[in-house]
Amino acid sequence: MASRHLARSIVLQSLFEWDFYQGKFDLDKIIKRNIKKFGGNFDEKQFTQNLAEGVMKNFAKIDKVIKNSATERPIEQLSTVDRNVLRIGLFELLYGNKKEVPPKVAINEAIELAKNFGGESSGRFVNGVLGTVYKEIEKETT
């Protein structure tokens, strides 16, 4: 597994745990524990930390985008996996360093996470939401 993909997987698992327990535990501690547990000696520890911090820093804005982009499914009714895959993908798409992670890479990575950790239709759902947001971004920049 590529290092950045592993980093995103660790962030997803950490966000899942944090979300499952409704934010009762410190995400930073969960991230550090999961890096140690799943990351071993991989070289993307800082990327992992930055991704998790970025999602949390922009949490309210990201969730608002989810609510506006997935109107047929209220955010509370999304599976915990789908909700957090979208949070990661939207952070990278909207607030991440585009030179480091181009938008199409962010979308593809989120789709892969959804396929690997989510349900049967998670990949298609994540693709639809992120694709819609990406098209809106493209419209605004042209």
Side-chain angles (χ1 to χ4, degrees), residues 2 10 20 33 46 58 75 78 80 88 98 102-104 107-108 134:
I10 291 170
F20 182 81
R33 183 192 70 227
Q46 191 60 52
N58 296 285
I75 195 165
L78 293 177
T80 308
I88 293 168
K98 308 293 187 270
K104 290 185 180 182
I107 293 169
N108 287 334
Y134 179 68

Short mmCIF file of all heavy atoms in Angstrom, two decimals, residues 2 10 20 33 46 58 75 78 80 88 98 102-104 107-108 134:
data_model
loop_
_atom_site.label_atom_id
_atom_site.label_comp_id
_atom_site.label_asym_id
_atom_site.label_seq_id
_atom_site.Cartn_x
_atom_site.Cartn_y
_atom_site.Cartn_z
N ALA A 2 0.61 2.16 -0.89
CA ALA A 2 1.39 3.39 -0.97
C ALA A 2 1.28 4.17 0.34
O ALA A 2 0.26 4.11 1.02
CB ALA A 2 0.90 4.24 -2.14
N ILE A 10 -5.36 5.60 7.74
CA ILE A 10 -5.19 5.84 9.17
C ILE A 10 -6.07 7.01 9.62
O ILE A 10 -6.74 6.94 10.66
CB ILE A 10 -3.71 6.09 9.53
CG1 ILE A 10 -2.91 4.78 9.35
CG2 ILE A 10 -3.56 6.63 10.96
CD1 ILE A 10 -1.41 4.95 9.43
N PHE A 20 -17.63 7.88 15.83
CA PHE A 20 -18.43 6.83 16.46
C PHE A 20 -18.71 7.17 17.93
O PHE A 20 -19.81 6.98 18.43
CB PHE A 20 -17.73 5.48 16.35
CG PHE A 20 -18.51 4.34 16.93
CD1 PHE A 20 -19.53 3.74 16.20
CD2 PHE A 20 -18.24 3.88 18.20
CE1 PHE A 20 -20.26 2.68 16.73
CE2 PHE A 20 -18.96 2.81 18.74
CZ PHE A 20 -19.97 2.22 18.01
N ARG A 33 -1.97 7.22 18.19
CA ARG A 33 -2.04 5.79 18.50
C ARG A 33 -2.15 4.97 17.22
O ARG A 33 -1.47 3.95 17.06
CB ARG A 33 -3.23 5.51 19.41
CG ARG A 33 -3.31 4.04 19.83
CD ARG A 33 -4.63 3.67 20.48
NE ARG A 33 -5.68 3.70 19.49
CZ ARG A 33 -6.86 4.27 19.65
NH1 ARG A 33 -7.18 4.89 20.76
NH2 ARG A 33 -7.75 4.25 18.69
N GLN A 46 3.79 12.96 9.09
CA GLN A 46 3.42 14.38 9.11
C GLN A 46 2.23 14.64 8.19
O GLN A 46 1.32 15.40 8.55
CB GLN A 46 4.60 15.26 8.72
CG GLN A 46 4.37 16.73 8.98
CD GLN A 46 4.10 17.02 10.46
OE1 GLN A 46 4.85 16.62 11.33
NE2 GLN A 46 3.00 17.70 10.74
N ASN A 58 -11.40 22.55 9.53
CA ASN A 58 -12.43 22.96 8.58
C ASN A 58 -13.71 22.14 8.70
O ASN A 58 -14.53 22.11 7.79
CB ASN A 58 -11.87 22.85 7.16
CG ASN A 58 -10.73 23.81 6.94
OD1 ASN A 58 -10.93 25.00 6.79
ND2 ASN A 58 -9.51 23.28 6.95
N ILE A 75 -26.72 14.32 6.49
CA ILE A 75 -25.40 13.92 6.97
C ILE A 75 -25.47 12.95 8.15
O ILE A 75 -24.67 12.05 8.27
CB ILE A 75 -24.53 15.16 7.30
CG1 ILE A 75 -23.06 14.75 7.45
CG2 ILE A 75 -25.04 15.89 8.51
CD1 ILE A 75 -22.10 15.90 7.41
N LEU A 78 -25.88 9.38 6.88
CA LEU A 78 -24.80 8.75 6.12
C LEU A 78 -24.10 7.74 7.01
O LEU A 78 -24.03 7.91 8.24
CB LEU A 78 -23.77 9.79 5.68
CG LEU A 78 -24.21 10.84 4.67
CD1 LEU A 78 -23.08 11.82 4.43
CD2 LEU A 78 -24.64 10.19 3.38
N THR A 80 -21.05 6.06 8.86
CA THR A 80 -19.89 6.71 9.47
C THR A 80 -18.71 6.70 8.53
O THR A 80 -17.96 7.67 8.44
CB THR A 80 -19.54 6.03 10.81
OG1 THR A 80 -20.73 5.97 11.62
CG2 THR A 80 -18.49 6.80 11.57
N ILE A 88 -12.56 13.71 4.40
CA ILE A 88 -11.17 13.67 3.95
C ILE A 88 -11.07 14.17 2.51
O ILE A 88 -10.25 15.03 2.18
CB ILE A 88 -10.60 12.24 4.07
CG1 ILE A 88 -10.48 11.85 5.54
CG2 ILE A 88 -9.24 12.14 3.36
CD1 ILE A 88 -10.21 10.37 5.77
N LYS A 98 -2.97 21.91 -3.73
CA LYS A 98 -3.29 21.32 -5.04
C LYS A 98 -2.05 20.83 -5.77
O LYS A 98 -2.12 19.93 -6.59
CB LYS A 98 -4.03 22.33 -5.93
CG LYS A 98 -5.25 22.97 -5.31
CD LYS A 98 -6.37 22.00 -5.08
CE LYS A 98 -7.63 22.67 -4.61
NZ LYS A 98 -7.80 22.83 -3.19
N PRO A 102 -3.27 16.86 -6.39
CA PRO A 102 -4.20 17.42 -7.37
C PRO A 102 -5.64 16.96 -7.10
O PRO A 102 -5.85 15.87 -6.55
CB PRO A 102 -3.69 16.86 -8.71
CG PRO A 102 -2.27 16.46 -8.45
CD PRO A 102 -2.22 16.06 -7.00
N PRO A 103 -6.63 17.77 -7.48
CA PRO A 103 -8.03 17.42 -7.21
C PRO A 103 -8.44 16.02 -7.66
O PRO A 103 -9.13 15.32 -6.93
CB PRO A 103 -8.81 18.50 -7.96
CG PRO A 103 -7.89 19.67 -7.99
CD PRO A 103 -6.51 19.08 -8.12
N LYS A 104 -8.04 15.62 -8.85
CA LYS A 104 -8.45 14.30 -9.34
C LYS A 104 -7.83 13.18 -8.51
O LYS A 104 -8.45 12.13 -8.32
CB LYS A 104 -8.13 14.16 -10.82
CG LYS A 104 -9.04 15.05 -11.65
CD LYS A 104 -8.85 14.88 -13.12
CE LYS A 104 -9.81 15.82 -13.84
NZ LYS A 104 -9.75 15.69 -15.27
N ILE A 107 -9.94 12.98 -5.32
CA ILE A 107 -11.20 12.29 -5.60
C ILE A 107 -10.97 10.79 -5.73
O ILE A 107 -11.69 9.98 -5.11
CB ILE A 107 -11.88 12.86 -6.87
CG1 ILE A 107 -12.34 14.30 -6.61
CG2 ILE A 107 -13.05 11.99 -7.30
CD1 ILE A 107 -12.77 15.05 -7.87
N ASN A 108 -9.98 10.40 -6.50
CA ASN A 108 -9.69 8.96 -6.68
C ASN A 108 -9.33 8.28 -5.38
O ASN A 108 -9.76 7.15 -5.12
CB ASN A 108 -8.59 8.75 -7.72
CG ASN A 108 -9.08 9.02 -9.13
OD1 ASN A 108 -10.27 8.90 -9.43
ND2 ASN A 108 -8.17 9.38 -10.01
N TYR A 134 -16.40 19.18 -7.36
CA TYR A 134 -15.30 19.51 -8.28
C TYR A 134 -15.81 20.31 -9.48
O TYR A 134 -15.20 21.31 -9.88
CB TYR A 134 -14.59 18.23 -8.74
CG TYR A 134 -13.46 18.49 -9.71
CD1 TYR A 134 -12.31 19.14 -9.29
CD2 TYR A 134 -13.56 18.10 -11.03
CE1 TYR A 134 -11.26 19.39 -10.17
CE2 TYR A 134 -12.52 18.33 -11.92
CZ TYR A 134 -11.38 18.98 -11.48
OH TYR A 134 -10.36 19.23 -12.37
#
